[in-house]
């Protein structure tokens, strides 16, 4: 064993490549040093690395990789990504709904201010003699102020 997971995996892959036999290789060919009798592979059949057999190389590497743990992690990450995409979509829909509500509220605010101004002006005319009392003049000034506020309110432009 080595001191890091990457180095340990490298050693396991190298060992698998040198010890995975490729069947039907000529027995009379000279073997590299790691094929000598008493070595890891004995004296017959070439290893996947020396035979340069791509399928055997792939099989040897896959045999030492922790495939089930990697697959489980991949599946978990995929589920998390899908969950986050779903949340993002829901948040976008919610954001659009909130923006529409805010726009409506802004328009409603302007409408409410105009209605209040109209009501105040009507009350002034009904309760006080036009132009002869300070209350009548003040109420109409207040109504004008409410109309100005409605015009300045976001979405309140006429």
């Amino acid at each position: 064993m080595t001191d890091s997971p990457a180095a340990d995996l490298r050693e396991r892959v190298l060992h698998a490549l040198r010890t995975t036999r490729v069947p039907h290789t000529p027995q009379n060919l000279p073997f590299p040093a790691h094929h000598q009798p008493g070595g890891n592979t004995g004296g017959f059949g070439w290893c996947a690395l020396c035979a340069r057999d791509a399928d055997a190389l792939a099989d040897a590497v896959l045999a030492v990789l922790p495939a089930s743990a990697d697959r489980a992690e991949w599946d978990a990450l995929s589920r998390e990504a899908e969950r986050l995409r779903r949340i993002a979509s829901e948040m976008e829909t919610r954001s659009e709904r909130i923006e529409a509500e805010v726009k409506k509220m802004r328009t409603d605010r302007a409408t409410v201010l105009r209605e209040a101004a109209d009501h105040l002006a009507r009350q002034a005319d009904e309760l006080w003699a036009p132009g002869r009392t300070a209350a009548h003049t003040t109420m109409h000034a207040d109504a004008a102020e409410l109309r100005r506020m409605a015009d300045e309110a976001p979405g309140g432009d006429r």
Side-chain angles (χ1 to χ4, degrees), residues 4-90:
S4 78
D8 182 48
L9 179 60
R10 182 184 182 284
E11 288 298 319
R12 288 178 23 223
V13 168
L14 185 58
H15 177 75
L17 292 175
R18 286 182 174 168
T19 58
T20 300
R21 299 300 196 131
V22 177
H24 311 296
T25 53
Q27 292 189 13
N28 58 350
L29 295 176
F31 292 126
H34 66 274
H35 288 276
Q36 296 302 317
N40 289 336
T41 62
F44 58 93
W46 283 38
C47 70
L49 189 60
C50 294
R52 295 183 183 164
D53 183 325
D55 290 331
L57 289 169
D59 290 342
V61 171
L62 289 174
V64 297
L65 292 178
S68 61
D70 289 348
R71 181 61 191 200
E73 183 179 2
W74 171 261
D75 289 345
L77 290 172
S78 295
R79 284 190 304 274
E80 180 67 6
E82 182 57 35
R83 185 183 74 81
L84 292 174
R85 278 191 289 275
R86 196 172 47 255
I87 288 172
S89 176
E90 291 168 1

Side-chain angles (χ1 to χ4, degrees), residues 117-146:
D118 293 344
H119 177 74
L120 189 59
R122 272 193 314 277
Q123 288 290 322
D125 291 342
E126 290 174 7
L127 297 173
W128 307 101
R132 294 192 311 189
T133 63
H136 181 268
T137 305
T138 302
M139 289 175 77
H140 273 281
D142 290 344
E145 177 68 11
L146 289 173

